[in-house]
Structure formats: structure tokens, C-alpha cells
Amino acid sequence: MLEEVQLNWNKLVRQTHRWLSIAFTVVVIVNGVAVARGRYTSRLGLSAVFVLALQFFTGLYLFVLPYATRWGNGRRTE
């Protein structure tokens, strides 16, 4: 049961990371258009930083996941 919940959680984090990458791409394009038109605001720039920060944390979780799984199984990575 615990493995099933963990697999659903991992799938949710992976899917969230993918959608955040799409959102980040859109926000960067919007920022570029705003700069080109001379309508750039700091709020618009912070929206990109916010999405990037969320993507950083989901990416960090996905990066550590294989190592945490090995550590939880009692195997050493040497």
C-alpha cells in the first residue's frame, strides 16, 4: 500500500515538473515580448523566478529520488 502511494506521489511530482517546464517556457517568451515592447515590469520578471523556483524543488526531488530509494532499501552506492 505504501509503495502504491509513493508511486502516485512520484508520478504527481514528475507530471508537475513537466507542466512547470512548459509554464516557464511560456513566461520567458512573455518576458521577451514585454522587453521588446518596452513594457517590462518587475512583477513579470518575478513570475519567471517563481516558476523556476518551483521547478528547482521538483527537479531536486526527482534528482534525489533514486539515491533515496537505494538508501531506503539498504543498498550502498559505491
Side-chain angles (χ1 to χ4, degrees):
M1 175 86 175
L2 183 60
E3 274 187 35
E4 186 177 322
V5 171
Q6 188 175 9
L7 287 176
N8 288 339
W9 175 256
N10 294 343
K11 184 177 178 182
L12 177 67
V13 171
R14 192 174 306 274
Q15 193 70 24
T16 302
H17 188 74
R18 287 181 187 145
W19 281 105
L20 284 172
S21 67
I22 293 168
F24 179 71
T25 303
V26 170
V27 170
V28 167
I29 291 170
V30 168
N31 271 298
V33 170
V35 167
R37 289 184 164 198
R39 303 183 134 224
Y40 179 79
T41 63
S42 60
R43 178 179 279 177
L44 189 59
L46 286 176
S47 65
V49 172
F50 176 70
V51 175
L52 188 61
L54 290 175
Q55 195 172 13
F56 170 75
F57 289 116
T58 57
L60 189 63
Y61 174 82
L62 292 171
F63 177 77
V64 171
L65 188 61
Y67 300 104
T69 303
R70 285 187 210 146
W71 180 74
N73 290 339
R75 291 175 48 193
R76 289 275 179 181
T77 56
E78 296 187 34

